[in-house]
Amino acid sequence: MWRGVVAITLLGLPAVHVPSAGPSTDPPPDPAPGPSAAAAAITVREHVHHQAIDGFGISQAFRRNELVRALPEAQQREILDLWFDRGKGAGLSILRLGIGSSPAGSPYDHMVSIQPEDPGGPDAPPRYVWDGDDNSQVWVAKAAKEYGVRRFFADAWSAPGYMKDNGDDKNGGSLKPEWRAAYARYLAQYTRFYAREGIRITDLGFTNEPDWTATYASMRFTPAEAAEFAKVLGPIAKGVDVVCCDSFGWNEAKAYTAAIEADPQARRWVKTHTGHTYASPVDGPLPTARRTWMSEWNPNGSTWDERWDDGGGSDGMTIASAVHDALTLGNVSGYVYWLGASRGATRALLQIDETARTYHVSKRLWALAAYSRFIRPGAVRVDASAADPALKVSAFRNADGSRVVEVLNTGTAPVTWSDVRGRATAYLTDETNDLTPSPVRNRTVTLAPRALTTVVVDG
């Protein structure tokens, strides 16, 4: 028997340290097979609160919904269930929409603008065009609302080319100063068009990766320029929370957040600070007391990957670890994945097979679902830790009083968590399980190796 200190941890209470009977003179027996015991105990401190949670979501920008709508209706419904249903799928609660900037008649992968032609200058009467479809995004927004989604984040990758100094909505370029107010009105009008369709845009972003010049829709802002434009947009887009700035990397986002926080007027309008994690991962919080979101990321790769744990960097374990880090290192309130579905060698959650008119599901979906289905908007993250460094643990209390503990076992051996208090269910996600439920008996959960275990305790 192992001698020393045994950690017995109760959910919601600190670990209780019970001294053993003292040193033994007997030789230690051979180790018994099976899970390790008390050393892997988890401590949850419910009285220590961290960030509030806004939710988890996806984007289907750049006309990816057209791929879904080309499928038979039964498969469309299955995909919507996988995204938004809390019993069958991920129960996602944020939908990120792309505000188009491309000319009319543009092909797939180019989002068409609501004002595709120059109306005659920044002070001319606008000539907006609304088709009620918006690159198939209205369809998915209405469906998401039926499932209970209430957070709709509309984000612009670029202004139309005629508003920019390079004359193109692609390849970077900057917003012309004389077009600032007109661009702000343009963004506000987009939210009004959605209101006409019964969708309330709650969050509005005016830039995507302002520090990156892309061959697709893109537009540059320095941190100072972004702060200045926030002061233009805020008063024009009243009733909608302004979001900024979706930088290309999390460390890079800190400069944009700092510039806004340093300007009292910009700080007044920007309610949520956002960053992506392509150039750099989440390694700490952004320098603000406002809500923060990891608003776009998927892993690199050149093949479609459905596996949970293949070491390739685009599997389910990779996504689970990234979500954990964003929540616990970055203190993010929202996590938005890129994309919900796409085609080819995509790192989206689902792959659309246009030829066979069907779809495939990656374990990435279930990695995200393990968090999004159970950690609901309005939850708060509470403090949690594990004695075993192989365990990545986070804990949450929902508004209804239910508690959620997420444990990603990155090791190769099972571990045991004892003394889970309350009526609890453990949901296992690994190579062969997709949130497979099992009741917690005798207050004990076995945390399978290379797996994500979600423990839900009723309120």
Side-chain angles (χ1 to χ4, degrees):
M1 171 179 286
W2 180 80
R3 301 282 183 168
V5 175
V6 180
I8 302 173
T9 308
L10 306 181
L11 188 66
L13 296 175
V16 179
H17 293 91
V18 182
S20 71
S24 171
T25 58
D26 299 327
D30 293 334
S36 60
I42 291 169
T43 302
V44 177
R45 305 171 187 86
E46 288 199 39
H47 64 286
V48 181
H49 289 189
H50 297 291
Q51 77 271 27
I53 300 298
D54 293 326
F56 301 81
I58 54 169
S59 179
Q60 278 294 97
F62 288 87
R63 299 169 63 171
R64 294 311 192 261
N65 292 312
E66 294 177 7
L67 303 175
V68 180
R69 296 186 76 181
L71 297 176
E73 287 189 10
Q75 297 202 19
Q76 294 178 30
R77 178 53 59 186
E78 290 171 5
I79 288 173
L80 292 170
D81 283 347
L82 285 169
W83 286 341
F84 302 117
D85 191 275
R86 291 187 63 190
K88 300 176 182 177
L92 297 169
S93 51
I94 299 173
L95 182 64
R96 183 179 180 224
L97 305 166
I99 302 175
S101 55
S102 295
S106 294
Y108 170 81
D109 207 35
H110 296 262
M111 298 181 290
V112 177
S113 168
I114 61 169
Q115 185 172 257
E117 296 182 3
D118 187 341
D123 299 320
R127 294 188 297 184
Y128 298 124
V129 178
W130 182 246
D131 61 4
D133 180 67
D134 190 33
N135 306 284
S136 291
Q137 292 186 114
V138 171
W139 170 76
V140 75
K142 288 182 175 180
K145 183 179 177 181
E146 290 177 357
Y147 284 90
V149 174
R150 296 293 180 266
R151 205 74 186 254
F152 294 94
F153 170 27
D155 207 4
W157 270 248
S158 175
Y162 56 81
M163 296 186 184
K164 297 169 61 183
D165 59 9
N166 68 341
D168 188 356
D169 75 317
K170 304 180 293 299
N171 301 306
S174 299
L175 183 68
K176 295 177 182 177
E178 64 268 26
W179 279 92
R180 287 176 180 168
Y183 180 49
R185 292 191 294 270
Y186 171 93
L187 297 173
Q189 181 61 41
Y190 184 88
T191 70
R192 289 191 283 271
F193 281 139
Y194 266 81
R196 181 187 300 179
E197 304 299 331
I199 302 296
R200 177 177 174 262
I201 300 298
T202 54
D203 304 89
L204 179 62
F206 60 89
T207 181
N208 174 81
E209 297 175 359
D211 48 346
W212 174 257
T213 297
T215 56
Y216 46 85
S218 55
M219 182 168 66
R220 302 296 294 247
F221 282 93
T222 66
E225 289 168 342
E228 286 299 315
F229 186 77
K231 294 187 288 188
V232 177
L233 177 61
I236 291 173
K238 288 182 178 179
V240 182
D241 288 346
V242 175
V243 174
C244 194
C245 291
D246 284 344
S247 182
F248 192 50
W250 194 254
N251 281 330
E252 291 74 9
K254 295 173 183 177
Y256 288 87
T257 298
I260 290 166
E261 288 293 300
D263 187 318
Q265 287 303 311
R267 186 172 67 247
R268 173 188 177 188
W269 297 110
V270 176
K271 304 300 183 183
T272 304
H273 293 260
T274 56
H276 300 173
T277 51
Y278 298 110
S280 56
V282 175
D283 62 353
L286 297 180
T288 177
R290 298 277 194 181
R291 303 287 179 89
T292 63
W293 291 4
M294 198 305 294
S295 54
E296 183 188 316
W297 177 75
N298 68 22
N300 290 326
S302 58
T303 59
W304 167 248
D305 187 357
E306 297 183 14
R307 297 284 302 279
W308 171 255
D309 184 22
D310 60 14
S314 61
D315 54 15
M317 280 282 290
T318 298
I319 303 310
S321 183
V323 175
H324 168 85
D325 288 351
L327 290 167
T328 61
L329 300 180
N331 291 339
V332 304
S333 294
Y335 193 99
V336 183
Y337 191 82
W338 182 264
L339 294 149
S342 192
R343 64 186 182 184
T346 179
R347 271 80 63 206
L349 303 178
L350 307 176
Q351 181 199 54
I352 306 298
D353 186 330
E354 296 171 283
T355 302
R357 300 190 71 207
T358 187
Y359 66 92
H360 305 281
V361 182
S362 171
K363 285 286 186 175
R364 292 186 288 263
L365 171 79
W366 297 110
L368 183 60
Y371 293 88
S372 59
R373 181 190 288 188
F374 304 106
I375 306 166
R376 304 307 299 167
V380 62
R381 185 170 75 86
V382 298
D383 206 57
S385 60
D388 188 334
L391 302 181
K392 290 189 170 188
V393 58
S394 57
F396 307 83
R397 188 178 185 92
N398 283 312
D400 65 3
S402 62
R403 292 163 287 172
V404 182
V405 181
E406 304 280 0
V407 188
L408 182 64
N409 185 351
T410 66
T412 57
V415 295
T416 297
W417 174 22
S418 300
D419 289 320
V420 178
R421 298 182 65 182
R423 187 174 61 186
T425 303
Y427 297 84
L428 176 62
T429 305
D430 61 10
E431 198 68 56
T432 57
N433 292 277
D434 301 326
L435 293 177
T436 301
S438 61
V440 174
R441 302 189 188 281
N442 300 319
R443 296 187 175 183
T444 299
V445 176
T446 298
L447 306 168
R450 306 298 297 173
L452 177 58
T453 302
T454 305
V455 179
V456 180
V457 182
D458 293 341

